[in-house]
Amino acid sequence: MKKHNFIYLAIFVMLLTSCAVRKPSGDNGATLVGKHWQLVELNAEAVPAKVNGKMPFLKLDEENGRYSASGGCNGIGGEYTLQKNNGITFSRGMSTMMACADMRVENGLRTLFDEADTYTVTENTLILSKGKEGAALAKFVLVADQSDKLAGTWELDYIMESADFAQLYSSRKPTITFDMAENKVSGNSSCNNFSGSVKIEGQAISFGPLMSTKMACPGDGERVFFKNIERVTGFDVQNESLTMLMDDIVVMRWKKK
């Protein structure tokens, strides 16, 4: 019986350890995860703000111990582990296999995740290197959080796949209101009211699930609205204009009310 108890205890300790290693460790761990980092330098060479029309980036999800990244083409992902004294390791997972015009940054990122074992965070800069005294393999800068600019109500003035916006929403334009304190949205699809949750990480955004009232609606405006808001993966706010994107494609554009 004692032998069995010892085995159970050992398994329990191993499980706790395996769960704990992906949590932030050291002074910088909490400033590393849960943020959106833009790649600006790779192997001592500057990286353009956009590669193949997309921003190269790295994100580390604290909740499930996974990372996601892109060199401007395919999505790259897998698991990461934080260790003592600012150690970090990456393991590869599944990724898409699309061919793009410029693959240099993406290929460099794949090599980076095989080699990097140390991280440093200073203010808004993340550096990945091999060994504490090794040269920087990659440098990232924190993507500014624009979520506070979303607060309030916006009215739609452009939507993808609409040849005649004025006709599609001749009676009423859709609106959306962001409650950033609760991470909630509400609004009107041009016919029914809707509400639901919103998740924002840097300039990445996703909605849902969205609930709506069930009034019968004339025309095709509501269907087009819900179809396109499900496509949204990113956003940008400039002055009184909110642009919602699917990668680098403009899906919706809104004006502040």
Side-chain angles (χ1 to χ4, degrees):
M1 186 67 180
K2 289 183 178 180
K3 182 179 180 180
H4 289 166
N5 288 341
F6 177 79
I7 293 173
Y8 295 149
L9 178 60
I11 294 173
F12 179 68
V13 171
M14 290 173 62
L15 288 172
L16 283 179
T17 303
S18 65
C19 292
V21 293
R22 293 196 178 101
K23 296 296 182 181
S25 60
D27 294 336
N28 290 334
T31 64
L32 170 69
V33 300
K35 294 179 173 60
H36 196 170
W37 299 95
Q38 178 181 353
L39 179 66
V40 295
E41 188 177 296
L42 185 62
N43 297 321
E45 294 186 4
V47 174
K50 289 192 175 182
V51 178
N52 302 312
K54 302 176 182 179
M55 181 183 74
F57 72 89
L58 169 66
K59 292 191 291 185
L60 294 93
D61 190 327
E62 179 181 3
E63 184 175 348
N64 59 25
R66 298 189 63 83
Y67 72 92
S68 58
S70 173
C73 185
N74 290 285
I76 305 170
E79 294 186 339
Y80 72 91
T81 301
L82 297 181
Q83 301 163 341
K84 292 182 178 180
N85 302 318
N86 287 45
I88 188 168
T89 57
F90 298 90
S91 63
R92 289 198 200 182
M94 300 293 292
S95 67
T96 55
M97 301 295 292
M98 181 170 58
C100 297
D102 188 348
M103 301 288 287
R104 291 174 299 171
V105 174
E106 177 170 317
N107 292 334
L109 269 184
R110 294 182 186 277
T111 302
L112 168 71
F113 295 133
D114 289 337
E115 296 182 352
D117 60 14
T118 305
Y119 72 91
T120 304
V121 178
T122 305
E123 295 182 349
N124 294 327
T125 301
L126 162 65
I127 293 176
L128 295 179
S129 56
K130 185 174 180 62
K132 289 188 175 298
E133 305 301 326
L137 298 176
K139 182 184 293 185
F140 301 80
V141 295
L142 185 65
V143 177
D145 185 3
Q146 295 194 53
S147 60
D148 58 330
K149 297 180 180 180
L150 287 172
T153 300
W154 303 81
E155 184 177 72
L156 190 69
D157 72 351
Y158 167 83
I159 193 165
M160 189 168 65
E161 296 184 8
S162 171
D164 192 339
F165 180 87
Q167 181 178 356
L168 191 65
Y169 299 112
S170 58
S171 300
R172 184 177 186 178
K173 294 181 181 180
T175 60
I176 189 168
T177 299
F178 289 86
D179 180 350
M180 301 314 303
E182 299 292 334
N183 293 321
K184 301 288 186 181
V185 292
S186 59
N188 187 279
S189 64
S190 74
C191 178
N192 283 288
N193 294 325
F194 68 87
S195 63
S197 60
V198 59
K199 182 179 180 181
I200 300 168
E201 294 180 349
Q203 288 182 279
I205 188 171
S206 59
F207 300 93
L210 296 178
M211 308 291 289
S212 72
T213 53
K214 300 297 183 181
M215 183 171 64
C217 306
D220 205 30
E222 180 168 85
R223 184 195 65 81
V224 172
F225 174 82
F226 282 121
K227 175 183 176 181
N228 280 283
I229 202 168
E230 290 179 357
R231 292 170 162 168
V232 172
T233 59
F235 75 97
D236 181 62
V237 180
Q238 299 292 335
N239 299 321
E240 300 296 302
S241 178
L242 164 61
T243 302
M244 292 184 180
L245 307 160
M246 178 179 64
D247 296 326
D248 57 337
I249 301 171
V250 176
V251 177
M252 294 173 160
R253 192 166 48 240
W254 309 74
K255 293 293 184 183
K256 194 70 174 285
K257 288 196 70 176

